[in-house]
Every structure is written in C-alpha cells, then in structure tokens.
Amino acid sequence: MVNIKTLLIVILLVLNIHIYRKIFYFIFRDSDDFRESVRYSFTPDIFSLLRGRYWKDQMGELKLSIFIVACIAVVFLEYLVIGSLLNVFFN
C-alpha cells in the first residue's frame, strides 16, 4: 500500500513542474546555458583550470546546484505546509 506522505511528495513533484520552469529561466539564460552547466559539473576542476575556464566552471556548477536546491526546497516547504494543514484537519 502506498504511504500518504510518499503520495503527497509525488503529487507535489508533478504539480510543481511549472515552478521548476520559472526557477530554470530565472537561473539559466536558455537550455544551452543549462547544458553548459551540466558539462562543467562533470569536468574536473583541474582541466578547467588548465583550459583557463576555472571561474566559468565554478559559476556553472553553482548555478546548477542552486537550481537543484531551489527545486527541492519548493517541494519541501510545500510538503511541510500541506502536511501540517492535513494534521490540523484530520487529527
């Protein structure tokens, strides 16, 4: 049987797709900027340093990390609010 908390998280993940897109376009210029950030996150820092792209690499990794944390934070905060409301109404 599916746990209610798990179901709530899955529902929130799906319903927040439009919010993820807003966060995406707030952080990244376009999808190429996102792909570049992902590429930099997989490139070892020493290679970026040798190519003269160390700070661009760091900014790309930072943007990707902020995007991931922001998307998780949205779901987490909504889960806390909805979970506490459900506890108030059903307990």
Side-chain angles (χ1 to χ4, degrees):
M1 179 147 183
V2 177
N3 187 354
I4 294 296
K5 292 179 181 181
T6 306
L7 182 63
L8 178 60
I9 291 173
V10 170
I11 290 171
L12 288 174
L13 286 171
V14 172
L15 290 178
N16 284 325
I17 290 174
H18 68 285
I19 295 174
Y20 305 148
R21 286 185 180 167
K22 297 278 185 194
I23 295 170
F24 178 88
Y25 287 113
F26 182 74
I27 295 174
F28 301 105
R29 290 184 310 269
D30 53 16
S31 60
D32 290 333
D33 189 25
F34 174 73
R35 280 190 223 115
E36 186 176 279
S37 293
V38 171
R39 186 172 50 94
Y40 280 135
S41 70
F42 287 108
T43 303
D45 290 338
I46 190 71
F47 292 152
S48 296
L49 181 64
L50 294 174
R51 293 178 185 155
R53 297 180 184 161
Y54 179 76
W55 291 110
K56 194 170 184 178
D57 181 327
Q58 294 300 308
M59 285 303 298
E61 289 178 19
L62 178 66
K63 287 165 57 171
L64 187 62
S65 297
I66 289 172
F67 174 68
I68 292 169
V69 168
C71 291
I72 291 171
V74 166
V75 173
F76 179 71
L77 291 174
E78 289 177 344
Y79 175 77
L80 288 178
V81 170
I82 293 172
S84 64
L85 287 174
L86 289 175
N87 282 337
V88 167
F89 288 119
F90 294 113
N91 284 335

